[in-house]
Amino acid sequence: MPAAAPAAVPSDRVGGRVRLLLASLYTTQTLALMFFVAALIAILADGGADADRLTLVYMLGLVWPLKLLWAPVIDRWRLGRAGHYRGWAMVSQTGMVAVLVVMAGFDPLADFPVVYGLCLALALLSATQDVAADGLACRLLPPGARGPGNALQISGGLLGTMLGAGGVLVLYPYLGWVGAMALLAGVTAISLIQLALFREPDAALVVAAGLPWRARLARLSRAGARGGALGWGVLLLIWPVGAGMAYALIMPALVAAGWPLDRIGLVVNLAGPVAGIAGALLAGGLATRMGRRRALIMAAAVQLAGIAAVALPVVGTAPASAAAVAVCLYFLLYNPGATVMAMVMMDRASAARPATDYSVQSTLHAAMGMGSISAGAAIAAAAGPVAALWVAIAAGLLALLGSLVLYRQGGEADLVGDQPVGRRR
């Protein structure tokens, strides 16, 4: 049935129950998926699986960009009386738990085709849950609460990746396949329980029904557009380039320095994400007080510092302790930018199609970041890691300059929530 629709909560404050729900949803949407994308690779390789199977597992990550195809459906149609985005989230979350329970009955090596098919189903459900969670967050978080709210979004993704790709893999020798699936299903079910106890506020949805495809594409190209849409679109694409290229240099530099794999995993997959969570949470609180424009500039500046910190492991002359600190600084200083960008993406999501508008922006942003990682690796292979780092620094500087230009546009940029808390007109 045609949907009902997002409206912000009238206050700039949201309750602890909402914050816990959003943090849980953004954690569990990546938890199991990252276990399969990362940890399953190690399990299959240890069991002697061939390279073709490993490549197929890596391709699970390509499912998420496809969510743009069904995001408009989630915006338009409501599932029964469970609430608009809550209904979609409940269906997706239930499906994820069910897939994990079923998967426990198969062996990842002997029954790989079945397990892989279930992994694909889980990736589709996870992507759908992400769209629903974004739509729910747009509805529940008014502009003044989006700093802490989007900090939970970024932190939840980091936590889910850290636990799924690292924590469950560490426990795997003790739990086995069945135990690992039971653990993943149990943690994923926590969000389902929270959803069952939560009631989504009612609101009226305005949807552009029956638009021709040309008009729909035009709406997508202007996702959430307000004044300064062109400048924002350019910044959205250039922002992740420098950080993505720098990330591509970290692991090869640590390997070249002779680090053992367990130490690399400890720093890159555990200490780094913990620092990233701290950076995101800190930025979420500060950005609300500073206003969007100033927060963008500050986030771009600290991101540039984080990219520059990668010079320590890349140059290779720093002690191991200094290189480890530099890697943690990269995560600490990159994630404030991820938080602020998510805030502005949410600001620019329209009331009529919040899930679609946010998904378009976040998917393009993420795709540019992933492409930048590949580009950084290619430049490092062709011209050396130091040259690649200089290109990354230049890209980070370009993002800072873009933020300054957007700031100077003033009213043309028209960023929602620009007035710092306590100084709103």
Side-chain angles (χ1 to χ4, degrees), residues 16-40:
R17 190 175 178 184
V18 170
R19 291 195 296 269
L20 286 174
L21 174 62
L22 293 177
S24 175
L25 287 173
Y26 283 116
T27 299
T28 56
Q29 70 182 212
T30 57
L31 176 72
L33 181 63
M34 290 310 301
F35 172 81
F36 294 119
V37 171
L40 182 58

Side-chain angles (χ1 to χ4, degrees), residues 297-307 329-330 332-334 336-337 400:
I297 294 171
M298 291 300 297
V302 298
Q303 175 182 255
L304 181 59
I307 295 170
L329 277 175
Y330 166 82
L332 176 71
L333 300 177
Y334 161 70
L400 175 58

Side-chain angles (χ1 to χ4, degrees), residues 26-375:
Y26 283 116
T27 299
T28 56
Q29 70 182 212
T30 57
L31 176 72
L33 181 63
M34 290 310 301
F35 172 81
F36 294 119
V37 171
L40 182 58
I41 293 289
I43 295 169
L44 292 173
D46 185 62
D50 56 44
D52 290 340
R53 289 189 172 184
L54 301 184
T55 301
L56 283 174
V57 175
Y58 279 124
M59 291 178 66
L60 290 172
L62 299 178
V63 171
W64 264 44
L66 298 178
K67 64 187 179 182
L68 296 183
L69 298 177
W70 60 88
V73 175
I74 294 174
D75 268 327
R76 175 158 175 73
W77 297 96
R78 172 175 177 154
L79 300 179
R81 300 180 180 179
H84 188 134
Y85 299 109
R86 173 177 174 262
W88 283 99
M90 289 188 71
V91 169
S92 303
Q93 206 77 25
T94 302
M96 290 164 63
V97 173
V99 166
L100 291 167
V101 170
V102 171
M103 205 178 293
F106 297 92
D107 182 88
L109 288 167
D111 305 311
F112 178 77
V114 177
V115 170
Y116 187 73
L118 291 169
C119 286
L120 276 176
L122 187 133
L124 289 167
L125 290 164
S126 173
T128 303
Q129 192 261 43
D130 180 53
V131 176
D134 290 340
L136 189 62
C138 287
R139 164 178 286 193
L140 296 175
L141 297 175
R146 286 175 185 166
N150 287 116
L152 291 176
Q153 175 191 20
I154 301 301
S155 300
L158 287 169
L159 182 61
T161 300
M162 186 172 62
L163 295 177
V168 180
L169 182 60
V170 170
L171 295 174
Y172 188 80
Y174 309 99
L175 298 175
W177 177 257
V178 174
M181 293 304 101
L183 178 60
L184 290 170
V187 176
T188 303
I190 293 174
S191 296
L192 183 57
I193 295 170
Q194 290 175 284
L195 284 167
L197 298 175
F198 178 76
R199 177 167 180 160
E200 183 179 353
D202 292 327
L205 181 59
V206 181
V207 219
L211 284 177
W213 276 107
R214 184 175 299 178
R216 291 185 183 184
L217 290 174
R219 287 175 63 90
L220 288 179
S221 68
R222 302 192 304 271
R226 305 181 194 278
L230 178 60
W232 169 247
V234 172
L235 184 62
L236 186 76
L237 294 177
I238 65 173
W239 186 283
V241 173
M245 296 180 71
Y247 181 80
L249 306 176
I250 293 175
M251 283 201 184
L254 298 179
V255 171
W259 282 38
L261 291 181
D262 58 346
R263 186 193 297 174
I264 293 176
L266 180 65
V267 172
V268 177
N269 296 327
L270 180 60
V274 168
I277 290 172
L281 294 174
L282 180 62
L286 290 176
T288 301
R289 296 180 177 89
M290 296 172 65
R292 304 299 200 259
R293 296 188 181 97
R294 291 175 180 81
L296 275 172
I297 294 171
M298 291 300 297
V302 298
Q303 175 182 255
L304 181 59
I307 295 170
V310 177
L312 283 178
V314 165
V315 171
T317 57
S321 58
V325 170
V327 172
C328 291
L329 277 175
Y330 166 82
F331 282 94
L332 176 71
L333 300 177
Y334 161 70
N335 282 285
T339 300
V340 176
M341 290 297 281
M343 288 170 60
V344 183
M345 289 180 211
M346 191 169 290
D347 291 342
R348 289 177 170 267
S350 67
R353 302 161 59 91
T356 301
D357 291 349
Y358 187 90
S359 294
V360 168
Q361 295 176 88
S362 63
T363 300
L364 291 175
H365 184 76
M368 198 70 177
M370 293 299 295
S372 300
I373 295 175
S374 299

